[in-house]
Amino acid sequence: MASVSYHIANLLEKMTSSDKDFRFMATNDLMAELQKDSIKLDDESERKVVKMLLKLLEDKNGEVQNLAVKCLGPLVNKVKEFQVETIVDTLCTNMISDKEQLRDISSIGLKTVISELPPAPTLLATSICKKITGRLTAAIAKQEDVSVQLEALDILGDLLSRFGGLLINFHPSIQHALLPQLSSARLAVRKRSIIALGYLVMSCNNSLFIDLIEFLLTELSKNSSTSTTRTYIQCIGAISRQAGHRVGEHLDKIIPLIVKFCRIEDDELREYCIQAFESFVRRCPKEISGYINSIVDICLEYICYDPNYNYDEEDDDEGMEANGDDDDEGESDDEYSDDDDMSWKVRRASAKCLDAIISTRHEMLMDFYRTVSPAIIARFKEREENVKADIFHAYISLLRQTRPTVSADPDAMEQGEGPVNLLQVQIPSIVRAVHKQLREKSIKTRQGCFSLLTELIQVLPGALADHISVLIPGIIFSLGDKNSSSNMKIDTLAFLNCLLSNHQPFVFHPHVPIIVKPIVSAVGDQFYKITSEALLVTQQLVKVIRPLDVVCSFDFTPYVQALYQSTLFRLRAADIDQEVKERAIACMGQIISNLGDSLQSELSTCLPIFLERLRNEITRLTTVKSLTLIAASPLKIDLRPVLGEAIPILASFLRKNHRALKLSTLTCLDVLVRNYGASLTGAMMTDIVKEAMISDIMKELPPLINETDLHISQLTMNLLTSLSQIDRASMNHIQTGILPQIMELIRSPLLQGGALNSMLEFFQALVATATPRLGFKELLEMMTKPIYEPQQFSSSPSHSSLALHKQAFYSISRCFAVLTVGQISGAGQAIVEKLIYDVKKSGQDSIKLFGLLTLGEIGKKSRY
């Protein structure tokens, strides 16, 4: 404590120096000390520090003043309540000073102190709030100095937003001081008064709230001047946003007045009226219901309100082909300018209000498509960029409201009058309205178009199939435009990816020649985010030009090398962004999977790179997935040159503590075994499959078969099934490690679903191998040993009469039944008779339960 006091005393001494640098550094050091949690000040140090900082607020140097203000924040939580009150008193006094600089710095100080007070209601916070509030309301009511009023209103707003509930006794005086300010000559005073009233209504009592609403309604009824009417409507909107639940019961009086004011020829007044409607829609959803149709009519009328501009209607009726005239039209739009024209604010407010109605009134979706949708589509031609963005957003909201209908009702397309059907009818109008905008100079407009079209595709996949030829020129323009920003290109590529993945491949085939070049160019872009997005598009484009799931006559060969070489360049690069690395690997995997038969000479270059990426910890997961894709390709790509090295690496991944990697690796190995094991020659079988595939893989499998992760267990047994089918001899080695794990899993109460089905398939495949000591009877004996010899097993609860958990009986009986049905003509007959005997004669519940379950399963699987 003594050392801290000594250090603080030294700093305080330096703060009195005539050198401003000394004062600055000392204040800076003090702030560093105050920010330490461990600092403790004695009473004398507290007093001296507070006195010095308040003195420095009047320092001649502005930087010293700013630092002194910043010190007040941490200081408030380090000194006693009395000192905080001293600080607040001094700041309040300074705030009404004649010196403008001192006034400003003291206002900042008060805001700092308020922000640092603990949010929980404490004695300190209550005391400080009450002390500040009285001074502030007095300063506001005096109306002597506007700048003092503005600062006081600002601080009062902060105070009410954080501690409104502590100032209940002051609420009447605060409201009394604020209401006259709504008619102040200064608009800034009105605005801050509205903000403060908005915070006040969050915590004031109902009587005071009713008084406020009555005052506003009375003043609106008088309509003494348009200027004050604007302010009162703004105030009602602000109150609604902060306390909508309280405004609802007064809407019957408020709405007719605001509707009336919408008809007055004043653009700002109309804007505020429509903004008030928007706040009612969002904050009073129940009470506003009866007025929704009227509000929609008003918004539809004013979203078209543009008295100072003549839209050329012939533009809408032109052909769908984009041409050079669009650029000229764009230039004339840019040249038009009228600083006095405020009508755009009315249109913007109307668009936002429609957005609010659409977003909150899902039950009116059908009506929106009949009335609102055509009107919004017609306004896509809006000349003001900001208004157009809000119009696009309103339509996107309409599409988003439609999306749940699509997912919830798969037959929506068949409904004659469903919203999806109505949307489909309007698609030509949407495309006609949007396609010209795609060649606008405005980047924001083009981004809005792509966002809207993306949402449309997600709602109705395949919806733009008939309009691809109209959209492609706009896409090419945005990708090739030198003035396009990086974000514009990224958004264009993202839309193109969405377009390619949600439409049939054949609709793009006529346009592939002009699509490939800009995509390849984007893959080579210097900005990694563009490259990353372009690789995703390339991956999708490969599936389009050569779909493997349908018969296709399109000649893809002219484009193979361009796509391959651009991707190979990115695949080879080691010093690129991680995201680009991963997407280059995935893209190349898709290229080889779909086009590998045209790249036979290139495989010797490309496949070794996959091996390198497989050895890299950062890229191995993506590479495993790509190898799986290649191995599963119906083109039967020759992977033999890399299998010898790849399979031991893949096998080593099975012991990694990385679940996603294990899952992907098991899937990859299973595909490799099924597609490449049996096709190899005898010599290759010995060298690769038996030495690498079998030995390296099999020794990693036992730890993967357990109830801890049934998904991994399921994939492991799938792999074992595949191994047993291509190399029966491999099953000779499972008795020591793998089979005991499987037999333990079959007794687990958690075994079910896919894991159980995989086990059934494995047992069937194992019996088919005719492996010594693992035949039909031996396996049945292993399975049923816990039931017939329960003394060796204790997995069931101690109070139960059953040898195993009940779920284990179901699992064992299903496995038993599958094997028995396969032998039904021979040994199976005897097994069934034994089960029937056990059910009739056995005195053990476990054996009876097992017999009944197994007979039932056998009955389901055969006609015995």
Side-chain angles (χ1 to χ4, degrees), residues 610-623:
F610 275 94
L611 278 179
E612 291 177 25
R613 300 292 176 264
L614 201 60
R615 293 187 179 100
N616 188 319
E617 184 178 351
I618 297 173
T619 55
R620 63 191 181 190
L621 177 59
T622 309
T623 309

Side-chain angles (χ1 to χ4, degrees), residues 266-339:
D266 184 297
D267 290 345
E268 282 193 81
L269 180 58
R270 282 180 180 145
E271 179 196 6
Y272 298 148
C273 288
I274 296 170
Q275 284 176 345
F277 287 145
E278 181 191 353
S279 69
F280 299 152
V281 167
R282 292 194 183 277
R283 304 294 290 158
C284 315
K286 183 180 177 182
E287 294 83 358
I288 198 68
S289 296
Y291 302 98
I292 288 291
N293 290 330
S294 302
I295 295 172
V296 168
D297 292 341
I298 290 171
C299 290
L300 291 179
E301 177 184 347
Y302 287 114
I303 200 173
C304 305
Y305 175 69
D306 198 356
N308 300 316
Y309 190 81
N310 182 27
Y311 291 90
D312 187 1
E313 296 296 336
E314 294 179 2
D315 288 348
D316 291 338
D317 301 323
E318 287 181 354
M320 299 291 278
E321 291 80 22
N323 53 49
D325 295 339
D326 294 337
D327 295 337
D328 298 335
E329 182 189 355
E331 288 173 8
S332 63
D333 286 353
D334 292 338
E335 289 169 4
Y336 176 81
S337 149
D338 186 352
D339 293 338

Side-chain angles (χ1 to χ4, degrees), residues 714-734:
Q714 175 185 339
L715 295 180
T716 305
M717 286 185 284
N718 287 345
L719 177 55
L720 281 167
T721 303
S722 300
L723 284 168
S724 69
Q725 290 166 349
I726 64 110
D727 184 20
R728 295 188 174 195
S730 64
M731 295 296 105
N732 291 325
H733 309 292
I734 70 169

Side-chain angles (χ1 to χ4, degrees), residues 454-471:
T454 301
E455 196 67 41
L456 175 60
I457 294 169
Q458 289 171 347
V459 171
L460 271 180
L464 299 177
D466 297 333
H467 308 284
I468 300 296
S469 59
V470 179
L471 299 173

Side-chain angles (χ1 to χ4, degrees), residues 682-694:
M684 291 295 288
M685 175 77 81
T686 302
D687 294 338
I688 293 176
V689 178
K690 287 189 177 178
E691 293 181 13
M693 191 180 292
I694 305 301

Side-chain angles (χ1 to χ4, degrees), residues 363-493:
E363 72 277 4
M364 298 178 68
L365 197 56
M366 294 284 291
D367 294 333
F368 292 153
Y369 271 109
R370 293 192 184 98
T371 56
V372 178
S373 176
I376 296 178
I377 293 170
R379 287 307 304 169
F380 286 174
K381 62 187 177 183
E382 169 63 50
R383 62 190 173 91
E384 285 287 340
E385 186 178 84
N386 291 329
V387 181
K388 188 182 291 185
D390 287 318
I391 290 171
F392 282 150
H393 195 274
Y395 203 83
I396 289 171
S397 296
L398 181 61
L399 292 173
R400 285 176 181 161
Q401 287 294 303
T402 312
R403 197 189 295 186
T405 306
V406 176
S407 58
D409 185 2
D411 300 322
M413 297 290 286
E414 300 173 9
Q415 296 175 3
E417 283 298 313
V420 176
N421 189 270
L422 293 174
L423 170 61
Q424 201 158 33
V425 171
Q426 294 175 14
I427 286 174
S429 302
I430 295 171
V431 176
R432 189 163 53 246
V434 163
H435 90 282
K436 279 187 179 181
Q437 313 283 348
L438 290 176
R439 299 198 62 168
E440 284 272 334
K441 288 183 177 179
S442 166
I443 289 174
K444 190 174 181 180
T445 295
R446 281 184 275 156
Q447 286 176 317
C449 290
F450 286 133
S451 296
L452 188 148
L453 291 171
T454 301
E455 196 67 41
L456 175 60
I457 294 169
Q458 289 171 347
V459 171
L460 271 180
L464 299 177
D466 297 333
H467 308 284
I468 300 296
S469 59
V470 179
L471 299 173
I472 290 294
I475 294 170
I476 302 300
F477 174 76
S478 286
L479 289 177
D481 183 16
K482 293 179 180 178
N483 296 322
S484 286
S485 65
S486 297
N487 285 338
M488 180 73 254
K489 290 184 179 179
I490 292 168
D491 289 346
T492 306
L493 289 165

Side-chain angles (χ1 to χ4, degrees), residues 63-78:
E63 292 180 345
V64 175
Q65 281 185 322
N66 291 335
L67 264 182
V69 167
K70 289 179 182 178
C71 286
L72 293 178
L75 182 64
V76 167
N77 295 312
K78 295 286 191 297

